[in-house]
Amino acid sequence: IQQHFEEILSNSRQLKWLSSAFMLGVVTPCSLASLSNPSTSSLEHLSLIDNQLPSLISTVELERLTNLRSLSLDFCDFTSDMCRLLAGGDRAPLHRLSLLLNGAALDVKPLDGTAAEDDWKALVRRSTNLRVYIMAMDVCSQDLLRVLKPSVPLERIHLDSYSTLVTDGVVELISQQYHKTLSHFILMRDDAGFPDLSVNRNEDPLVLLAWRCVHLAVLIIH
């Protein structure tokens, strides 16, 4: 299947969309090297969410894709170098960036080396219409606070928890930093004991989020 996939990429012409999300074992770090030259210049939408080691795309391969408008990756694969490459003036501005953060994989795939605040600022200056979607699967609050940089133009966030609790501090941070961009907030917990985010305060952080985020269109608590 890997061989057939690479043959398809090498024989493609004017490929615009390519999604190989969650096709475990099909895509390798060498797969995109097979992409034909005509398709590297025409490709606008790429999804490589797979949670594999190592990353399925390198900065060198991404450099060939000069017209990307949307990109989906594992959060830990979105490195500082990759972010600065996408901020280059010789590329099409990026419109959408979707990132999956799996807390269970952080021990073997750490956040070290991911895009820093200055990298995000450079990307946003280049891609003024950029909107970011983050899905965090069972990520502890300490790691979420590292991920949620002030300059991230966060439009949608999906917090899905099994064994970890989403704290009121995380919700408070989201409502303060992304009140101008956030449109979708999804909070899910696979447990009967749903956390009390109010921590005996007068202000419920979910109420404050709904009040501060003026563009909030979808609020799901499950």
Side-chain angles (χ1 to χ4, degrees):
I1 296 177
Q2 289 177 356
Q3 183 179 349
H4 288 318
F5 182 67
E6 291 178 5
E7 287 177 357
I8 291 171
L9 295 184
S10 63
N11 293 314
S12 63
R13 294 293 180 272
Q14 304 301 312
L15 188 66
K16 188 173 181 179
W17 293 76
L18 176 60
S19 174
S20 60
F22 303 109
M23 295 171 60
L24 296 175
V26 174
V27 188
T28 71
C30 300
S31 296
L32 280 186
S34 305
L35 194 64
S36 67
N37 288 331
S39 286
T40 58
S41 59
S42 63
L43 192 67
E44 294 185 9
H45 310 277
L46 175 64
S47 178
L48 289 175
I49 294 177
D50 217 338
N51 201 37
Q52 288 193 51
L53 285 172
S55 170
L56 295 179
I57 184 171
S58 66
T59 305
V60 173
E61 292 300 334
L62 190 63
E63 191 172 2
R64 301 171 66 208
L65 311 178
T66 56
N67 285 309
L68 274 186
R69 301 305 176 105
S70 71
L71 177 64
S72 300
L73 286 177
D74 292 333
F75 194 101
C76 296
D77 294 337
F78 190 62
T79 63
S80 180
D81 290 341
M82 192 174 291
C83 187
R84 289 201 169 271
L85 172 69
L86 291 169
D90 56 342
R91 304 180 58 88
L94 197 65
H95 289 172
R96 176 165 294 280
L97 179 63
S98 301
L99 300 168
L100 173 66
L101 182 60
N102 185 352
L106 288 180
D107 287 340
V108 292
K109 208 170 185 180
L111 292 169
D112 301 336
T114 54
E117 174 68 2
D118 288 343
D119 304 322
W120 280 105
K121 286 180 179 179
L123 180 59
V124 171
R125 281 196 300 267
R126 170 59 182 159
S127 303
T128 54
N129 293 321
L130 176 66
R131 289 297 177 262
V132 175
Y133 169 34
I134 293 177
M135 183 172 186
M137 304 283 292
D138 215 30
V139 182
C140 71
S141 294
Q142 184 178 357
D143 289 325
L144 282 173
L145 294 175
R146 291 180 60 191
V147 162
L148 298 173
K149 304 285 194 304
S151 293
V152 176
L154 187 68
E155 182 181 57
R156 304 183 181 204
I157 188 163
H158 182 149
L159 302 173
D160 203 329
S161 300
Y162 301 99
S163 60
T164 61
L165 292 178
V166 176
T167 65
D168 62 322
V170 168
V171 179
E172 179 79 7
L173 181 70
I174 291 171
S175 68
Q176 288 181 348
Q177 289 189 168
Y178 311 117
H179 62 279
K180 293 182 179 179
T181 59
L182 192 72
S183 65
H184 290 62
F185 182 86
I186 301 171
L187 180 62
M188 303 184 69
R189 179 159 170 77
D190 189 18
D191 191 295
F194 193 80
D196 177 14
L197 291 173
S198 64
V199 195
N200 298 318
R201 300 186 314 177
N202 292 326
E203 302 88 0
D204 187 304
L206 289 171
V207 175
L208 289 176
L209 180 138
W211 174 63
R212 288 174 177 150
C213 298
V214 293
H215 297 294
L216 191 68
V218 176
L219 174 63
I220 298 175
I221 306 168
H222 181 70

